[in-house]
């Protein structure tokens, strides 16, 4: 998970510096640029699964789209995400993907509208692992046993 966090930070920096966007507006628009349609389509499918999991308040759906283990920590975090955004009847209004750092990482800008017409915009990081795209929506994954977590604290020496 530390790798995902580092990728998310790096992707945010790349997005801030301005990369060329691949736009896929609306729920039925075609795929993005022909240079990476497979990547754009895979990231878009992950976004659609994410919105579906939110709408159906599906813990297992969020865990699947997040690409994390089904464990007590992930179920707890999925419950928290669903309590904040779940069951609102979101409709996708636009999806923009940017291939930030190669073919396996993308920033996704999602624009949705809930059933009452209230808009929501969210920027997510999509990561392809073993040919499957996942969204980095889980932030509290515990570190693997025996591995030390990376730190941004300054050394005291």
């Amino acid at each position: 998970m530390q790798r995902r966090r580092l990728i998310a930070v790096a992707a945010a920096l790349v997005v801030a510096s301005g990369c060329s966007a691949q736009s896929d507006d609306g729920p039925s628009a075609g795929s993005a640029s022909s240079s990476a349609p497979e990547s754009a389509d895979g990231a878009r499918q992950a976004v659609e699964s994410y919105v579906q999991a939110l709408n159906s308040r599906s813990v297992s759906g969020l865990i699947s789209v997040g690409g994390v283990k089904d464990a007590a920590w992930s179920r707890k975090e999925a419950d928290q995400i669903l309590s904040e955004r779940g069951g609102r009847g979101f409709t996708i209004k636009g999806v923009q993907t940017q291939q930030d750092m190669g073919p396996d990482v993308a920033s996704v800008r999602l624009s949705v509208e809930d059933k009452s017409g209230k808009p929501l915009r969210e920027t997510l990081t999509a990561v392809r692992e073993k040919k499957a795209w996942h969204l980095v929506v889980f932030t509290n994954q515990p570190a693997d046993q025996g591995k030390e977590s990376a730190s941004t604290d300054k050394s005291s020496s």
Side-chain angles (χ1 to χ4, degrees):
M1 189 61 195
Q2 291 299 327
R3 180 174 71 98
R4 285 188 180 175
R5 287 184 186 147
L6 291 174
I7 289 172
V9 169
L13 291 173
V14 172
V15 169
S17 67
C19 292
S20 62
Q22 296 176 344
S23 178
D24 186 6
D25 293 328
S28 62
S31 66
S33 165
S34 61
S35 64
E38 183 181 298
S39 296
D41 289 345
R44 170 142 182 121
Q45 288 173 345
V47 169
E48 289 174 355
S49 296
Y50 171 67
V51 172
Q52 182 179 2
L54 290 177
N55 286 340
S56 64
R57 302 185 62 82
S58 173
V59 168
S60 61
L62 275 180
I63 289 171
S64 177
V65 79
V68 295
K69 292 180 182 176
D70 188 345
W73 73 267
S74 58
R75 290 191 160 276
K76 181 179 178 182
E77 191 166 350
D79 281 337
Q80 180 181 354
I81 292 167
L82 292 173
S83 71
E84 294 170 2
R85 293 183 225 131
R88 293 175 48 187
F90 290 120
T91 302
I92 297 174
K93 295 299 179 183
V95 177
Q96 278 188 323
T97 59
Q98 293 178 327
Q99 297 299 125
D100 297 316
M101 297 171 50
D104 297 326
V105 179
S107 288
V108 180
R109 292 199 306 190
L110 171 63
S111 175
V112 295
E113 195 172 270
D114 69 13
K115 58 188 167 195
S116 69
K118 183 178 177 184
L120 172 71
R121 289 177 179 77
E122 186 171 12
T123 301
L124 303 160
T125 300
V127 179
R128 182 168 43 189
E129 295 176 327
K130 299 179 184 173
K131 298 185 181 183
W133 282 93
H134 300 285
L135 298 178
V136 182
V137 293
F138 290 88
T139 59
N140 295 322
Q141 183 172 1
D144 292 336
Q145 294 291 351
K147 292 187 179 179
E148 195 172 314
S149 295
S151 175
T152 57
D153 293 340
K154 291 185 179 181
S155 172
S156 60
S157 55

